[in-house]
Amino acid sequence: MKTHVLFNLFATFLLADGLNIEVSVFDFSLQLQISHRFVFLILNFTRNVAPLLINTQLFTRFLSRISQDSAGQFFSSGHTNNWAVLVCTSRFWFNYRHVANTLSVYRSVKRLGIPDSHIVLMLADDMACNHRNPKPATVFSHKNMELNVYGDDVEVDYRGYEVTVENFLRVLTGRLPPSTPRSKRLLSDDRSNILIYLTGHGGNGFLKFQDSEEISNVELADAFEQMWQKRRYNELLFIIDTCQGASMYERFYSPNLMALASSQVGEDSLSHQPDLAIGVHLMDRYTFYLLEFLEDIHPASKANMNDLFKVCPKSQCVSTPGHRTDLFLRDPGSVLITDFFGSVRKVEITTEAIDLTDPIKEVEERYMHSYVDQLPVSEIIHQKPKQKDWHPPDGFILGLWTLILLVFFQTYGVKHLRHIF
Amino acid sequence: MAAHRCCFPVWLFILCSFSLFIIAGSQETTVAPEQHASVLDNPQTAAETAEQTAGESGGVEERRWEGTEVRDAAAQKQAEPAVLQPTPQPKDDFQEELVVRPLHSGDIYASFQFRTLWETDFMRGNKVSHYRLFPKSLGQVISKFSVRELHISFTQGYWRTMQWGQPYLPSPPGAELWVWFQDSVTDVDATWKELTNVLSGIFCASLNFIDSTNTVQPSASFKPLGIGNVTDHRFLRYATLPREIVCTENLTPWKKLLPCGSKAGLAVLLKSEKLFHSSFHSQAVHIRPVCQDWQCKTTSWELRQTLNVVFDLHNSGQGKREWSLFKMFSRTLTEACPLASSSKIYIDITDNPEGEQFELSPATSLLSQAMVLGDRRTFSVYDLTQQDTFGSVRSLNLLIRWKSTEGDMLRPLLHAERYVAGYGLQTGEIHTLMYNHHPYRSFPVLLLDSVPWYLRLYIHTLTVTSKGKDNKPSYIHYQPSKDRVRPHLLEMLVQLPPNSVTEVTVQFERALLKWTEYTPDPNHGFYVGSSVISSLVPSTVAMDTNSTRERPLFSSFFPCKEESSYFVRVYTEPLLVNLPTPDFSMPYNVICLTCTVVAVGYGSLYNLLTRSFQIEEPSPGLAKRIANVIRKMRGVPPL
């Protein structure tokens, strides 16, 4: 039986105990020209193809996994990729701390392994290169310029005026114009764990964007429901650092959502770390302690969500941080911090040989090229004026002719036409 | 008759000797600019220098000359046939270069240029899939959107021409993008829109704000810089975003386009904390097709990444007139990029032939001359591919220490400025001033102004005056704006008289925006992009018109067609204009709403109570009335 097998093995490396790397295969796809049935596929596959590859260690491991049906145990959380949407909604220099909040979360998720291509970072104003910043290209989160959260290789995807409610909702729901570049899209699927972090000025049931528009908690809940219906996430962690932040997650109704907020309804979230050199507060209290907590997390750490809920008690925050887990199906104690802040890595193994010899063919051109005159004065002066295009007569002309004809017929009547023709 | 015969040879003799004298004189004048070069402690003739580079005479002399620039035309012609031989050339080639120009104000100007040349063809539907040095992201953009030429720049700060002279590569504040498409593109506007979206993703910039309201098609400016004969401006798009901020997030993707990234070579100096702590910062990407060889039968794609920065004496130099690589970039150099075929640092020492202005250490024996911006400049060259450049400490930290604060910069011949005059929020006037500092030559300039639609230009008030007299432009192209659709485009070709100021004024009216069209911070004002002034400025030395000759990168950007003048582009300041802005604050809106409710409710009730109503006779239509007039004149009873 002649089979053409196109083979993709997705292996995932999970870091366990820091050093031991365990490989597991969770997904494979076969495209056979003849057969359609999956069971039949497996049979064909093991009979015809497997002996060819059986000597590779990976493959034996793969088969054993299949036979034991235990591949799932490495994916107890059920996700295969991680995404983060980090939004600062405040403009103007005195809101420096909101940019620093967002950037500190950005720094943490990037440190824990989410690549820039999987982070959608939205900053409503440019603090780093603001003219009021005494040290350009830096944003500090700690006093005395201790920790620069801006870094040297930041990639901001939406910035300035682009940070609007519309753009934010479009990113979440994926309803973007077709020419939007990949870096500005949330290309998640039903196996994605998404971290959404928002910070800015808010009130009971809304969050202000750029001081000119706001998003309500109902709109946000509907957007998440739309994401769920479009299978755009597996699990979603929502964190908001704003005044009365708990009001923003009250209306959520979609499954697999976990939400955290910096303050309860009726409470203000407070700022932290005033800096005399920069002249503003550097961070908000909640995110400050969140950053301190995240700095201790490493890709293999076993800290779970219950630890995250304990971040910033009222003695430190002044406000009372809240969380909501009733929509979340798993026990928060079994959910690792790195399920949302870290990233699983995907390795794709191909069995095809790739030809690296240069396929570019020589194209012979036999005409002379030349550079163009940069300021061809005589050519410009003697340009021919463009021929006027004919366009249909506009309303005025048509109206005038109608009036003339009307007046003519009203005056002479139809019977006088024979005098003319 | 005899007298005539005898006179003729005499006349001939006098004529001949006279013409000889003239030729000698003219030679003297052409040589004159080289004289300051010959003041150097080891003066050498051009022929000698050519010889030296041809056959590596070793370090006998104290100072060596880089041969390529001073080699005369005859030597060049002899060298040309060698190119014809089928030598196995690399498909792609990468060069890097840093030019440092100490400025008289004590500031320092550093210009990085990275050039990737690739002999390939993105067009005609052949798929290029194997990339080596050329960045794949840009290669795909070129082939997908059928781009013939692409120029994009991000600039923070304004280039002060009168203090700093002309930059090697001009750019306006904010973002600027201009693209020439292939003539195979059918829907240029749609392609342009998609391209800007893609570029905004590549460069982390808000280029997606480029739409039809800030895009123009210049009819005479922005001719293609690469090779090609098509200059139909339907395939050209030009847009600026004067408000665009430039920061680390733009530098990061820019650095990733380099073959060595920021890991090796000159790019290790590009630390954002230092680069953005400066008076002027500009980074750009230029893609164009260029000639492969002297015959120009084959083309290759050139990707030129440039970064210009001016460090301020008082800000980053702490007020001391002393600069070093470490002080500027907080790094020193240890190696060239291993992928680069050439990696050089040039220091402009034209004003400092004897070391009286500043001291340069470590000293280099390698010198080079280049014709740049209409002047012959002398440079000290440090070749990073040579190991001995780094000395015994294995690292290069160039130090420039000023000795005197005197000295005057050569004034740039062309310079321009612009401002808004007038008061109030209804009307205003844009003034553009163009200075010609040349003592006796006039030259043409092409002014391009793209003004957003919300400033309604009164084009009948356009005046161009120089020296108090009306200066009639020899070419005017004006495209009026359409509200919310397209901006004004004004292009004028003006001859600037010698030693004069030419003033262009035009009045405008400020439009009222719809309330959703205001930015979140409308009281900041609205930006109007820089005017672009393209010009052919007479040069003091004969320019090099051979486009394929090996030259330093900074002097080979604008192709040069004639020897007597050089092309230069000058940008004016962007304008910040206040528009009539409603008060967006909450109390104001509450007052407005209440007043409206009161006015509508109370007003209609008052109307009902106080008015009396009557039935009005219907009046005959317009046609009937005119017909009745004519009928009355004819004596026929009216209808």
Side-chain angles (χ1 to χ4, degrees):
Chain A
M1 188 173 167
K2 197 177 172 186
T3 52
H4 292 267
V5 182
L6 185 87
F7 214 73
N8 285 314
L9 295 177
F10 296 91
T12 300
F13 293 89
L14 279 184
L15 285 170
D17 299 325
L19 284 173
N20 292 336
I21 296 173
E22 220 165 326
V23 181
S24 74
V25 180
F26 66 85
D27 189 14
F28 65 95
S29 62
L30 298 169
Q31 290 175 4
L32 287 141
Q33 283 190 337
I34 304 159
S35 58
H36 301 284
R37 281 192 173 173
F38 185 71
V39 184
F40 188 52
L41 259 174
I42 293 283
L43 284 173
N44 274 340
F45 169 71
T46 44
R47 196 188 305 147
N48 297 334
V49 188
L52 303 173
L53 299 163
I54 204 93
N55 50 355
T56 64
Q57 198 199 356
L58 181 77
F59 200 74
T60 50
R61 199 181 274 245
F62 161 64
L63 284 181
S64 67
R65 289 276 175 250
I66 292 291
S67 59
Q68 289 166 16
D69 201 16
S70 61
Q73 76 182 37
F74 290 95
F75 300 98
S76 52
S77 67
H79 71 288
T80 59
N81 54 72
N82 280 79
W83 288 81
V85 181
L86 314 173
V87 189
C88 157
T89 65
S90 301
R91 178 168 276 278
F92 304 121
W93 172 247
F94 52 84
N95 291 320
Y96 183 96
R97 61 182 188 279
H98 292 153
V99 173
N101 285 347
T102 315
L103 284 169
S104 61
V105 179
Y106 170 78
R107 171 193 153 85
S108 301
V109 296
K110 207 168 158 181
R111 186 176 58 79
L112 290 171
I114 303 186
D116 260 324
S117 56
H118 282 212
I119 304 175
V120 181
L121 180 61
M122 301 171 112
L123 297 181
D125 205 353
D126 169 50
M127 294 303 162
C129 291
N130 197 304
H131 298 294
R132 294 195 198 176
N133 193 342
K135 273 184 74 78
T138 55
V139 172
F140 292 101
S141 65
H142 284 55
K143 263 189 256 187
N144 307 323
M145 303 188 178
E146 273 167 16
L147 182 60
N148 176 17
V149 287
Y150 202 58
D152 210 20
D153 58 344
V154 63
E155 284 186 16
V156 186
D157 300 309
Y158 286 81
R159 57 181 198 167
Y161 298 140
E162 287 176 277
V163 182
T164 57
V165 174
E166 183 188 338
N167 277 349
F168 174 61
L169 292 179
R170 280 184 185 280
V171 166
L172 289 188
T173 53
R175 304 167 116 183
L176 286 154
S179 59
T180 311
R182 292 178 71 90
S183 65
K184 293 191 167 189
R185 286 171 183 268
L186 181 69
L187 296 166
S188 56
D189 53 27
D190 58 346
R191 299 281 87 190
S192 306
N193 273 14
I194 305 181
L195 166 74
I196 292 179
Y197 176 85
L198 291 172
T199 181
H201 289 286
N204 191 350
F206 68 90
L207 174 72
K208 286 207 289 182
F209 269 67
Q210 303 242 12
D211 215 13
S212 68
E213 53 181 349
E214 53 277 317
I215 185 172
S216 72
N217 50 3
V218 181
E219 282 174 307
L220 196 62
D222 288 344
F224 288 151
E225 175 61 20
Q226 202 178 113
M227 285 174 78
W228 174 250
Q229 287 179 2
K230 286 177 157 182
R231 297 167 149 262
R232 283 175 66 76
Y233 69 83
N234 172 48
E235 285 169 341
L236 196 146
L237 177 66
F238 176 81
I239 303 179
I240 186 162
D241 186 347
T242 178
C243 298
Q244 319 203 28
S247 65
M248 287 305 283
Y249 61 64
E250 273 175 354
R251 303 294 181 102
F252 289 175
Y253 55 95
S254 314
N256 284 351
L257 283 176
M258 194 188 306
L260 285 93
S262 62
S263 56
Q264 296 295 336
V265 179
E267 279 182 340
D268 283 345
S269 290
L270 297 170
S271 58
H272 201 26
Q273 301 272 332
D275 187 281
L276 289 176
I278 297 174
V280 285
H281 286 265
L282 297 187
M283 267 197 123
D284 280 321
R285 280 173 183 272
Y286 180 73
T287 312
F288 179 80
Y289 291 107
L290 179 69
L291 175 64
E292 285 209 332
F293 170 74
L294 289 175
E295 287 290 295
D296 294 334
I297 304 285
H298 53 91
S301 58
K302 296 283 176 202
N304 59 38
M305 284 295 156
N306 283 332
D307 300 325
L308 186 66
F309 296 152
K310 288 177 202 143
V311 165
C312 199
K314 191 161 185 186
S315 56
Q316 288 176 324
C317 252
V318 184
S319 60
T320 325
H323 56 86
R324 182 175 171 189
T325 54
D326 56 325
L327 296 169
F328 205 72
L329 300 179
R330 288 195 288 152
D331 172 32
S334 69
V335 182
L336 298 180
I337 299 290
T338 47
D339 280 357
F340 288 101
F341 288 89
S343 175
V344 288
R345 288 162 202 188
K346 200 165 88 174
V347 176
E348 207 167 305
I349 299 165
T350 176
T351 52
E352 282 174 49
I354 296 168
D355 187 16
L356 288 178
T357 52
D358 199 355
I360 303 165
K361 290 183 189 70
E362 281 295 313
V363 181
E364 287 295 315
E365 290 175 66
R366 278 288 148 248
Y367 55 91
M368 280 285 277
H369 297 285
S370 63
Y371 288 96
V372 180
D373 218 346
Q374 284 301 303
L375 190 62
V377 176
S378 59
E379 198 181 296
I380 292 170
I381 295 173
H382 299 118
Q383 265 184 34
K384 279 201 179 122
K386 212 179 121 193
Q387 289 283 317
K388 267 257 169 96
D389 299 334
W390 184 87
H391 51 86
D394 58 358
F396 177 73
I397 301 287
L398 286 178
L400 194 68
W401 272 108
T402 323
L403 185 69
I404 289 168
L405 287 175
L406 266 175
V407 168
F408 179 85
F409 285 119
Q410 297 262 353
T411 318
Y412 298 101
V414 186
K415 60 182 177 188
H416 289 275
L417 271 181
R418 59 196 163 87
H419 295 299
I420 302 166
F421 299 111
Chain B
M1 198 67 193
H4 268 271
R5 270 187 194 166
C6 133
C7 267
F8 185 67
V10 174
W11 273 115
L12 204 70
F13 177 72
I14 291 173
L15 214 80
C16 284
S17 60
F18 196 67
S19 63
L20 265 177
F21 181 71
I22 288 173
I23 289 167
S26 68
Q27 270 173 350
E28 221 169 61
T29 49
T30 50
V31 168
E34 279 184 63
Q35 273 175 355
H36 61 262
S38 63
V39 187
L40 295 163
D41 43 1
N42 194 2
Q44 290 171 333
T45 61
E48 269 177 342
T49 59
E51 214 174 27
Q52 274 177 20
T53 42
E56 273 307 314
S57 59
V60 186
E61 279 84 12
E62 229 184 312
R63 289 188 162 187
R64 285 176 295 137
W65 286 87
E66 260 202 340
T68 48
E69 290 78 41
V70 280
R71 189 187 292 176
D72 57 8
Q76 178 68 19
K77 264 181 194 153
Q78 283 169 2
E80 271 161 6
V83 185
L84 279 174
Q85 290 167 4
T87 47
Q89 284 181 337
K91 287 277 183 197
D92 45 4
D93 174 66
F94 175 66
Q95 292 179 30
E96 54 179 10
E97 175 179 297
L98 164 66
V99 194
V100 178
R101 190 206 282 172
L103 303 169
H104 284 279
S105 54
D107 303 342
I108 198 152
Y109 171 37
S111 171
F112 291 86
Q113 298 227 5
F114 303 91
R115 183 173 76 164
T116 312
L117 273 177
W118 192 17
E119 190 188 342
T120 187
D121 193 5
F122 287 114
M123 298 306 147
R124 306 208 193 121
N126 67 341
K127 278 208 131 182
V128 180
S129 52
H130 184 56
Y131 289 81
R132 210 174 78 96
L133 297 179
F134 203 89
K136 188 175 181 182
S137 55
L138 289 180
Q140 287 175 330
V141 164
I142 295 171
S143 51
K144 172 145 198 280
F145 298 105
S146 300
V147 172
R148 198 161 64 127
E149 222 171 85
L150 188 149
H151 303 269
I152 186 168
S153 75
F154 298 98
T155 308
Q156 195 177 41
Y158 175 65
W159 181 269
R160 303 186 182 283
T161 314
M162 287 311 279
Q163 284 176 32
W164 300 336
Q166 296 286 0
Y168 295 121
L169 278 161
S171 57
E176 182 197 42
L177 174 67
W178 56 286
V179 175
W180 277 92
F181 291 96
Q182 300 280 350
D183 44 10
S184 55
V185 178
T186 47
D187 190 353
V188 181
D189 285 312
T191 318
W192 165 252
K193 184 70 202 152
E194 267 183 58
L195 176 68
T196 53
N197 273 333
V198 168
L199 289 177
S200 83
I202 292 178
F203 292 105
C204 278
S206 317
L207 293 174
N208 46 330
F209 283 131
I210 292 178
D211 54 10
S212 67
T213 60
N214 47 23
T215 303
V216 290
Q217 301 175 39
S219 67
S221 310
F222 294 102
K223 294 287 175 202
L225 283 171
I227 49 178
N229 302 318
V230 187
T231 57
D232 186 350
H233 67 266
R234 281 183 297 135
F235 299 104
L236 168 66
R237 291 291 180 281
Y238 172 81
T240 52
L241 295 173
R243 180 100 206 245
E244 187 69 13
I245 41 177
V246 185
C247 208
T248 313
E249 65 259 28
N250 304 108
L251 186 67
T252 312
W254 187 89
K255 280 196 287 197
K256 283 182 182 166
L257 298 175
L258 295 170
C260 287
S262 51
K263 302 284 189 291
L266 291 172
V268 297
L269 300 176
L270 303 174
K271 292 276 164 215
S272 60
E273 282 179 38
K274 286 289 181 183
L275 288 181
F276 291 103
H277 204 174
S278 56
S279 310
F280 177 84
H281 170 94
S282 169
Q283 62 190 66
V285 169
H286 303 276
I287 301 171
R288 57 175 177 171
V290 292
C291 288
Q292 181 73 34
D293 45 26
W294 66 280
Q295 281 183 313
C296 218
K297 290 221 165 131
T298 53
T299 63
S300 51
W301 284 87
E302 183 196 71
L303 165 70
R304 203 183 270 253
Q305 288 179 255
T306 64
L307 191 142
N308 294 293
V309 60
V310 175
F311 290 106
D312 184 59
L313 170 72
H314 299 286
N315 201 358
S316 25
Q318 283 95 37
K320 275 171 89 180
R321 291 171 82 89
E322 188 180 301
W323 291 102
S324 65
L325 282 188
F326 188 78
K327 209 167 173 181
M328 287 191 273
F329 304 106
S330 72
R331 280 292 296 263
T332 57
L333 285 170
T334 51
E335 55 171 348
C337 169
L339 297 170
S341 63
S342 124
S343 174
K344 282 175 183 161
I345 298 182
Y346 293 86
I347 313 277
D348 192 337
I349 54 160
T350 316
D351 307 326
N352 186 41
E354 294 281 6
E356 66 266 16
Q357 287 278 337
F358 53 83
E359 185 191 343
L360 193 62
S361 72
T364 177
S365 54
L366 203 60
L367 292 179
S368 159
Q369 277 197 340
M371 252 74 78
V372 54
L373 298 166
D375 199 5
R376 189 191 299 273
R377 313 290 294 180
T378 314
F379 297 89
S380 286
V381 186
Y382 295 83
D383 192 348
L384 300 186
T385 49
Q386 306 293 323
Q387 269 309 313
D388 51 344
T389 311
F390 300 104
S392 54
V393 287
R394 321 295 296 157
S395 101
L396 177 66
N397 184 22
L398 280 171
L399 185 74
I400 296 167
R401 192 180 286 119
W402 286 83
K403 286 179 177 169
S404 66
T405 54
E406 290 113 57
D408 204 17
M409 189 188 63
L410 193 69
R411 248 195 337 179
L413 295 175
L414 173 67
H415 138 243
E417 53 191 48
R418 189 160 71 138
Y419 57 90
V420 173
Y423 54 87
L425 285 177
Q426 197 187 356
T427 56
E429 196 169 36
I430 298 178
H431 289 247
T432 311
L433 301 176
M434 292 179 283
Y435 295 84
N436 176 0
H437 292 302
H438 202 285
Y440 52 85
R441 288 277 303 270
S442 68
F443 53 81
V445 296
L446 184 66
L447 175 76
L448 179 139
D449 247 324
S450 163
V451 181
W453 62 267
Y454 41 78
L455 299 187
R456 302 211 167 100
L457 289 187
Y458 292 160
I459 205 69
H460 67 277
T461 61
L462 178 74
T463 57
V464 185
T465 49
S466 32
K467 292 183 167 172
K469 274 183 281 181
D470 199 27
N471 185 350
K472 194 174 174 295
S474 40
Y475 169 74
I476 293 188
H477 172 77
Y478 174 66
Q479 189 189 41
S481 72
K482 276 186 189 162
D483 280 5
R484 297 172 184 87
V485 175
R486 68 171 189 215
H488 302 268
L489 170 67
L490 177 63
E491 280 182 290
M492 285 192 295
L493 187 69
V494 186
Q495 189 82 6
L496 299 187
N499 205 4
S500 70
V501 189
T502 304
E503 186 171 20
V504 180
T505 62
V506 63
Q507 291 178 9
F508 65 86
E509 185 191 63
R510 297 160 214 244
L512 272 173
L513 301 184
K514 291 177 182 165
W515 74 277
T516 46
E517 287 168 347
Y518 285 98
T519 53
D521 52 349
N523 293 308
H524 182 86
F526 291 77
Y527 283 88
V528 179
S530 306
S531 304
V532 190
I533 292 163
S534 318
S535 176
L536 285 173
V537 178
S539 66
T540 51
V541 289
M543 293 301 287
D544 189 1
T545 52
N546 187 346
S547 58
T548 52
R549 188 196 295 217
E550 194 68 26
R551 284 187 289 181
L553 299 180
F554 60 88
S555 67
S556 63
F557 187 62
F558 289 115
C560 195
K561 279 267 175 172
E562 47 187 306
E563 288 189 344
S564 60
S565 60
Y566 63 100
F567 181 79
V568 72
R569 195 168 278 150
V570 175
Y571 292 92
T572 65
E573 302 92 335
L575 299 176
L576 182 58
V577 182
N578 273 319
L579 291 188
T581 308
D583 190 344
F584 286 107
S585 61
M586 197 177 72
Y588 177 80
N589 286 314
V590 171
I591 292 168
C592 282
L593 197 69
T594 347
C595 290
T596 314
V597 170
V598 168
V600 171
Y602 173 74
S604 51
L605 197 68
Y606 183 78
N607 252 341
L608 277 174
L609 292 175
T610 53
R611 291 229 170 138
S612 61
F613 297 94
Q614 284 177 348
I615 296 167
E616 201 188 353
E617 290 278 321
S619 65
L622 181 68
K624 208 173 200 177
R625 265 190 277 170
I626 297 172
N628 277 341
V629 170
I630 298 171
R631 285 172 87 98
K632 197 185 264 178
M633 284 196 297
R634 288 170 62 219
V636 184
L639 289 167

